Amino acid sequence: MVSIWRYLLAGLGLAALLVGILAVVYLTAPRSAQPAGPDVSRTKKSENGLYMASFVPERGVVRQGELESWLLTLKTKTGASVERAAIAISGGMPQHNHGLPTSPQVTDYLGEGRYRIEGLKFTMSGWWQLRFAISSGAGSDTVLFNVVL
């Protein structure tokens, strides 16, 4: 009977030692990078680096379910304002696999590289993408902005 208790205690001791080793390995293992979500910066370079673009809501706040005006400011890589640019707008919700519910358009050039975008509507919360295809004397390029509601 005594030998059974010895084996039982030895087994529990080994199990405790194994749990301790696994805990140390788990706690000291390098962490993998957690996805931080989409880049929601409001100023960024275009894909090929021809432009620096900023995109902000004209009223300063993003509102769900309302038609909104946004301002797109374009500068060349040397900092000059981009004038007379042709801008095509597309986008949607990548996680829901659908496009924009409206057809936003550039409605006005405000000077100093600023363009008013009207007709933008975010109908639901989530991750939205807006892609601007820009063409001007500096060349053609695209910039993608993420908006998370």
Side-chain angles (χ1 to χ4, degrees), residues 3-126:
S3 63
I4 292 176
W5 284 109
R6 284 185 182 168
Y7 286 121
L8 185 59
L9 286 175
L12 287 174
L14 286 174
L17 180 64
L18 182 61
V19 167
I21 291 171
L22 289 175
V24 168
V25 168
Y26 175 76
L27 293 173
T28 60
R31 303 277 182 219
S32 62
Q34 296 293 324
D39 173 14
V40 293
S41 57
R42 293 283 185 244
T43 300
K44 56 176 60 177
K45 285 184 180 180
S46 58
E47 287 183 16
N48 296 319
L50 294 179
Y51 304 104
M52 180 61 75
S54 295
F55 187 58
V56 295
E58 192 165 23
R59 292 191 297 184
V61 177
V62 182
R63 292 195 163 89
Q64 182 179 331
E66 296 181 24
L67 282 173
E68 296 185 310
S69 297
W70 286 61
L71 299 177
L72 177 68
T73 303
L74 298 173
K75 305 281 184 185
T76 63
K77 60 184 170 183
T78 61
S81 297
V82 176
E83 299 190 21
R84 296 184 305 276
I87 302 169
I89 306 161
S90 61
M93 294 188 83
Q95 292 177 320
H96 293 252
N97 201 25
H98 66 74
L100 295 171
T102 58
S103 298
Q105 301 291 319
V106 174
T107 59
D108 200 9
Y109 177 67
L110 305 172
E112 299 178 359
R114 294 179 305 132
Y115 297 83
R116 179 175 286 126
I117 311 294
E118 291 187 302
L120 190 56
K121 186 176 188 179
F122 301 108
T123 54
M124 62 174 47
S125 60

